[in-house]
């Protein structure tokens, strides 16, 4: 089992390093990493991690900035990541933290790290323990900010 990590220099936290640290806490797997300038470069980086470097699942880590142009860019990157998943029949866990989700730099840094860690665990579960995700079905999970929980108690 090999997990791929694609991240960007645009992000304001070293998301790739955080993801690798978290994966290592939960699983003994091979890890391949590719760092690119920004989120629009992630789809092909992920596809190459799958097709050329043998990854079974990949995490795409990025930080869309806070202005309208960046939201557009994130949407485009997201479309590319979905296309890459359909082309390769492999999951690419998209970990995006929009810069304007956080109220200040301190919260942004926390959110970038926390969402990355929680999705790293999701990636490990998808790859190795899919029944664990089934147990959490319908429980209102979120990554970073608190879970919202099920609608019916
Ligand atoms: O291929 C080079 C760049 O076009 C690519 O790296 C882009 O993803 C860079 N980029 C933008 O051009 C932009 O307008 C990024 C953002 N916004 C952004 O919000 N987050 C990024 N990249 O990671
Ligand atoms: O690949 C991991 C996640 O990016 C992916 O599971 C997304 O679908 C998660 N997600 C969002 O990132 C988001 O901004 C979801 C929503 N909104 C949403 O409204 N409902 C979801 N997922 O089920
Ligand atoms: O309900 C508050 C948030 O969940 C909502 O604003 C989400 O859209 C925030 N969000 C993203 O914008 C995103 O790109 C989330 C994710 N990705 C994600 O992967 N997991 C989340 N929220 O819980």
């Amino acid at each position: 089992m090999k997990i791929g990590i694609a991240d960007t220099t645009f992000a304001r936290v070293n998301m790739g390093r955080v993801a690798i640290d978290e994966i290592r806490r939960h699983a003994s797997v091979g890890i391949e990493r590719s760092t690119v300038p920004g989120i629009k470069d992630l789809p092909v980086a992920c596809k190459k991690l799958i097709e050329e470097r043998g990854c079974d699942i990949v995490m795409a880590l990025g930080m869309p900035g806070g202005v309208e142009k960046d939201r557009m860019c994130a949407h485009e990157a997201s479309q590319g990541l979905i296309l890459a998943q359909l082309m390769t029949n492999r999951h690419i866990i998209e970990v995006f933290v929009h810069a304007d989700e956080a109220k200040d730099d301190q919260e942004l840094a926390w959110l970038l790290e926390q969402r990355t860690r929680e999705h790293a665990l999701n990636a490990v579960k998808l790859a190795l323990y899919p029944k664990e995700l089934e147990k959490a079905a319908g429980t209102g999970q979120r990554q970073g900010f608190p879970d919202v929980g099920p609608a019916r108690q």
Side-chain angles (χ1 to χ4, degrees):
M1 176 64 58
K2 228 193 245 186
I3 300 183
I5 303 294
D7 69 343
T8 70
T9 57
F10 190 101
R12 297 183 62 205
V13 158
N14 188 334
M15 298 173 80
R17 185 162 66 198
V18 171
I20 290 166
D21 178 70
E22 189 65 26
I23 289 167
R24 294 249 182 268
R25 289 169 198 253
H26 302 284
S28 184
V29 293
I31 292 180
E32 296 282 333
R33 182 173 181 178
S34 171
T35 301
V36 293
I39 51 178
K40 283 200 276 191
D41 311 311
L42 288 172
V44 73
C46 292
K47 186 164 174 283
K48 284 156 72 85
L49 283 167
I50 292 165
E51 292 181 344
E52 297 175 8
R53 292 166 71 179
C55 293
D56 300 283
I57 186 168
V58 174
M59 296 181 71
L61 309 163
M63 191 204 76
V67 304
E68 192 50 40
K69 242 193 253 37
D70 299 325
R71 265 186 285 280
M72 173 75 74
C73 193
H75 180 257
E76 288 161 349
S78 213
Q79 299 279 300
L81 289 170
I82 290 167
L83 198 56
Q85 295 181 75
L86 296 174
M87 291 173 83
T88 57
N89 223 20
R90 294 285 180 279
H91 283 289
I92 298 173
I93 297 295
E94 179 198 285
V95 186
F96 281 5
V97 172
H98 296 255
D100 59 4
E101 286 185 71
K103 62 178 182 305
D104 54 31
D105 278 6
Q106 192 189 341
E107 187 175 63
L108 179 61
W110 170 83
L111 185 58
L112 282 160
E113 173 155 356
Q114 191 59 30
R115 184 166 295 160
T116 299
R117 288 194 183 280
E118 292 187 35
H119 270 317
L121 188 50
N122 280 335
V124 168
K125 286 177 180 173
L126 255 181
L128 296 173
Y129 316 107
K131 285 280 169 201
E132 291 293 312
L133 287 179
E134 200 176 309
K135 278 187 213 156
T139 58
Q141 299 293 311
R142 297 294 185 271
Q143 294 75 35
F145 292 123
D147 299 337
V148 298
R152 200 161 38 203
Q153 295 310 314

